[in-house]
Amino acid sequence: MTELEQHALNIRKNILTMVYTAQSGHPGGSLSAADILTSLYFEEMDINKDNVASRDRDRFVLSKGHITPGYYATLCEKGFIPKEELKTFRQLHSPLQGHPNMNYIEAVDMSTGSLGQGISAAVGMALANRLDKNDHRIYFLLGDGESEEGEVWEACMAAGHYKLDNLCGILDYNHLQIDGNIADVVGPEPFPEKFEAFGWHVVEVDGHDFESLAKGFEEARNTKGQPTMIIAHTIKGKGVSFMENNYKWHGSAPNQEQYEAAMKELGGE
């Protein structure tokens, strides 16, 4: 097992433990994004405990702000959150609320949760970096169901207009949202043609393959004069057989039997 694979496995285990302990949260999208977040925080982005308070580092915005189990588990794996604190997820007075709050956790760059607003904040950050002559990059994670929000496309239009090549979005394209398949709810596809029409460079990758993700991020860094959208093809609930491709695990917590079965699949605690 590679180092990245081990990080992703640890993140998946902690996702399940957090949601099970709280009996609340969003495991499906957290699991689908686990490899993307691993690639970002352990290979792509310039962020660590030494530079977290500095303006001179890369920034990340979780636009699909409900997948905090995946986000917090990643920040824990990176050393920003103590592991014992994960079991306080969604409890009163815990910094680990259901949606990320930048006032509670230093490594969280933007408070998000209202779908569509995260990408808008990321566009603003990219513009600010350009004005400040700061060459660090801005990344954001977008949901495919979230892309039914009109604000997403307003932000895309602005990013394309300003040619923000310091901005990189990742679309967690798992095809499912809380009510079922995205095509059945509103149907925001086709994604590549739409992002291209708004002036974005588009890269399609396997969102569960670290080499594919790395190549996508490299292409984004080398693209000039356009923001880049990496369309990451993923599986909702990835890693737990009975959660995979099942929209009912979008925002449901496992019972004890399900939790134990899921952890066994992942290799135990």
Side-chain angles (χ1 to χ4, degrees):
M1 182 178 294
T2 67
E3 187 175 337
L4 287 176
E5 288 171 339
Q6 185 63 60
H7 285 312
L9 180 61
N10 294 341
I11 287 167
R12 284 191 164 90
K13 290 178 181 178
N14 282 332
I15 287 168
L16 292 170
T17 297
M18 292 167 68
V19 176
Y20 170 68
T21 303
Q23 280 299 290
S24 178
H26 295 78
S30 293
L31 291 167
S32 72
D35 300 312
I36 297 168
L37 291 168
T38 299
S39 184
L40 275 169
Y41 275 88
F42 291 93
E43 192 167 57
E44 175 64 16
M45 290 198 306
D46 172 25
I47 180 173
N48 54 61
K49 292 181 75 173
D50 294 328
N51 71 4
V52 67
S54 171
R55 296 175 67 186
D56 294 321
R57 65 167 175 84
D58 296 331
R59 309 232 166 238
F60 172 74
V61 178
L62 183 68
S63 196
K64 49 181 297 187
H66 53 281
I67 66 154
T68 43
Y71 193 21
Y72 297 152
T74 304
L75 294 179
C76 173
E77 188 73 7
K78 189 73 176 179
F80 293 118
I81 298 173
K83 186 171 182 178
E84 59 271 16
E85 201 167 83
L86 294 181
K87 290 191 176 182
T88 71
F89 176 57
R90 285 192 170 226
Q91 292 182 19
L92 193 63
H93 305 305
S94 170
L96 308 184
Q97 292 299 300
H99 294 95
N101 189 320
M102 63 193 298
N103 298 306
Y104 295 160
I105 304 169
E106 188 176 30
V108 170
D109 292 319
M110 189 64 203
S111 303
T112 57
S114 184
L115 296 178
Q117 291 186 355
I119 177 177
S120 298
V123 169
M125 290 177 180
L127 278 168
N129 270 10
R130 175 182 289 178
L131 290 170
D132 291 341
K133 296 181 171 31
N134 183 329
D135 60 3
H136 285 82
R137 295 177 61 74
I138 309 297
Y139 297 85
F140 66 90
L141 183 64
L142 187 70
D144 49 6
E146 178 185 8
S147 300
E148 294 159 12
E149 293 279 359
E151 184 175 356
V152 167
W153 302 102
E154 292 179 87
C156 284
M157 181 168 55
H161 174 77
Y162 290 109
K163 305 183 187 306
L164 298 178
D165 51 19
N166 59 346
L167 179 67
C168 177
I170 308 98
L171 179 74
D172 185 8
Y173 194 17
N174 60 39
H175 295 269
L176 298 176
Q177 60 190 105
I178 191 168
D179 292 324
N181 193 294
I182 61 169
D184 297 328
V185 180
V186 172
E189 298 145 319
F191 283 117
E193 293 85 348
K194 285 185 176 176
F195 286 119
E196 287 171 352
F198 280 83
W200 289 62
H201 177 66
V202 174
V203 185
E204 295 193 59
V205 304
D206 179 343
H208 300 306
D209 182 274
F210 291 116
E211 183 177 350
S212 182
L213 283 162
K215 287 180 180 178
F217 286 126
E218 181 182 18
E219 185 171 334
R221 288 194 306 276
N222 292 332
T223 297
K224 304 303 177 185
Q226 287 180 289
T228 295
M229 182 62 68
I230 296 176
I231 297 177
H233 294 272
T234 61
I235 297 170
K236 193 146 188 155
K238 174 68 174 178
V240 179
S241 61
F242 60 86
M243 292 185 178
E244 289 188 358
N245 282 320
N246 186 341
Y247 76 90
K248 293 182 179 179
W249 289 104
H250 176 89
S252 300
N255 60 31
Q256 183 177 347
E257 182 181 357
Q258 292 166 329
Y259 171 69
E260 290 174 354
M263 293 296 282
K264 185 176 181 179
E265 281 193 33
L266 294 172
E269 297 187 60

